[in-house]
Amino acid sequence: MDLFSMSLKSVEDHWNRLKNASSTSFLKRNMTELIFKELKDKRTFFNGTLLDCIKGGCVNLDSGCGIYASDPEAYDVFSGIFFPVIKDYHKVGTVSHPNPDFGDIDNLGFGDLDPSGRYISSTRVRVGRSQAGFPFHPTAKLHDRVELESRAMEALQAFSGELEGTYYPLSEMSSTKQKELTEEHYLFLQENRFLGDAHVYDEWPVGRGIFYNPDKTFLVWVNEEDHFRFISMQQGSDLEAVYKRLVLALRSVEEKSSVKFAHHPQLGYLTYCPSNLGTTLRASVHINIPCLASQPYFHEFLEKHHLQVRGVNGVHTEMVGDVYDISNKRRLGMTEIQIVREMIVGVQAVLAEEQRLDGSLTKSDGVQFEGNIAA
Ligand code: ARG
């Protein structure tokens, strides 16, 4: 945080700064003087304030979203700003979400996205979950964090088979181990200013930890941005195996532990950041698509297929070579199975376009055509 931001104290100071600055965040686009006045003195059951929700977005003018929920109730108490932001971010006319539907996991028929193994190096599906009845970072007390972690551990210990693993509390992890896991991109860091200014690192590392199975194909982040992030991943492109593993893990938590996931009738599963509401699901592949990526219509092409692109090291990171992290853009207003199917269709279109371009470029370059137009 810069010195100027540190001098901001009240919610008025923060809003005035954002109001008079240039920012393209969803918060800035949707907050008005009228909404601000209406909300500035409200409080949630956990004593969450408007400042708790918008601080990060007022400090970091380059925020994408710029607003977080102080606690689950904030979405209703401060609905005057959250609902417009949610509509705008998720591009929905009305805020509503269907009941969860993960599909028939024994008859998914996804197939392998890239059997040649030429384009997709790894596949990942993650969801966020909150524990019902508990606050989020800005309003969490030390005892909440401890209790959240102990309930999480109960759920993690109940995993069986492929999901079985070990929980490592961050406070007890050696710096060598932290470094090793970070370099392999399994562990979250404490270095994102958007999250830091939004209270995510308060009382760090209390209550935080990571769980994973020996193959590191199933991981759980505890009390990072969300109470839980469940992550299923593996090398290659067998999305069906990755997705199924994740669904089985969620079922295990619901059936074999006392953890209850926070769920809202209009917003689906509740997460700290409004960008993740609904299914909270992000299904992604690391994909090498040099031809398509160099086209001026690359981003438009992804948009059309409801896909999003990121750097391979997570949100707000840069590209590494020609490998991109491509994932579903939509999360709210559709079921889990619909979203994953939409992502599959999109990735298939990306692969077909890459192969088409690769074929024509290779031919016109006079280089021997290797028959890239594989099914
Ligand atoms: N707070 C960041 C922003 O507003 C990130 C938003 C989405 N990412 C996240 N981790 N919730 O740009």
Side-chain angles (χ1 to χ4, degrees), residues 41-58:
D41 299 316
K42 294 197 170 178
R43 279 178 185 268
T44 65
F45 171 77
F46 285 110
N47 230 357
T49 63
L50 183 64
L51 181 57
D52 290 329
C53 302
I54 67 171
K55 181 164 168 274
C58 293

Side-chain angles (χ1 to χ4, degrees), residues 63-66 68 194 225 273 275-276 316:
S63 289
C65 217
Y68 294 92
F194 298 95
E225 175 176 332
C273 183
S275 68
N276 285 320
H316 302 127

Side-chain angles (χ1 to χ4, degrees), residues 183-337:
E183 278 165 7
E184 296 165 333
H185 306 304
Y186 293 116
L187 188 60
F188 48 87
L189 293 169
Q190 193 198 350
E191 61 176 35
N192 178 315
R193 69 187 152 87
F194 298 95
L195 297 180
D197 291 328
H199 299 280
V200 171
Y201 305 141
D202 289 5
E203 296 176 315
W204 190 274
V206 177
R208 279 79 166 190
I210 181 175
F211 169 96
Y212 53 84
N213 66 359
D215 290 342
K216 295 203 186 86
T217 55
F218 174 61
L219 296 90
V220 184
W221 290 358
V222 175
N223 292 324
E224 188 248 6
E225 175 176 332
D226 288 311
H227 296 160
F228 288 110
R229 283 288 175 96
F230 295 96
I231 303 158
S232 173
M233 61 199 264
Q234 68 190 50
Q235 299 299 308
S237 49
D238 189 352
L239 177 62
E240 180 157 337
V242 172
Y243 178 76
K244 190 170 168 176
R245 187 186 300 123
L246 185 75
V247 177
L248 290 174
L250 295 171
R251 278 191 195 161
S252 166
V253 176
E254 288 179 307
E255 288 163 13
K256 296 188 196 164
S257 82
S258 59
V259 166
K260 295 272 168 296
F261 293 142
H263 194 268
H264 185 283
Q266 278 169 284
L267 304 174
Y269 290 106
L270 292 180
T271 49
Y272 183 43
C273 183
S275 68
N276 285 320
L277 291 168
T279 58
T280 77
L281 189 146
R282 201 169 85 84
S284 62
V285 287
H286 280 185
I287 188 167
N288 188 341
I289 40 171
C291 302
L292 177 57
S294 65
Q295 300 302 311
Y297 61 83
F298 178 41
H299 288 272
E300 205 182 309
F301 188 90
L302 296 179
E303 190 98 344
K304 194 177 100 193
H305 292 282
H306 303 290
L307 295 173
Q308 186 183 57
V309 65
R310 291 181 174 190
V312 290
N313 295 329
V315 68
H316 302 127
T317 63
E318 297 302 320
M319 309 304 154
V320 177
D322 286 313
V323 181
Y324 293 81
D325 175 304
I326 285 186
S327 59
N328 57 291
K329 174 108 179 80
R330 303 209 277 186
R331 314 196 205 296
L332 182 76
M334 294 165 70
T335 66
E336 288 77 2
I337 188 70

Side-chain angles (χ1 to χ4, degrees), residues 338-356:
Q338 284 172 335
I339 282 173
V340 175
R341 290 202 191 282
E342 182 172 84
M343 179 266 190
I344 294 173
V345 171
V347 170
Q348 282 167 344
V350 166
L351 282 175
E353 185 66 3
E354 178 66 17
Q355 286 164 349
R356 188 184 71 78

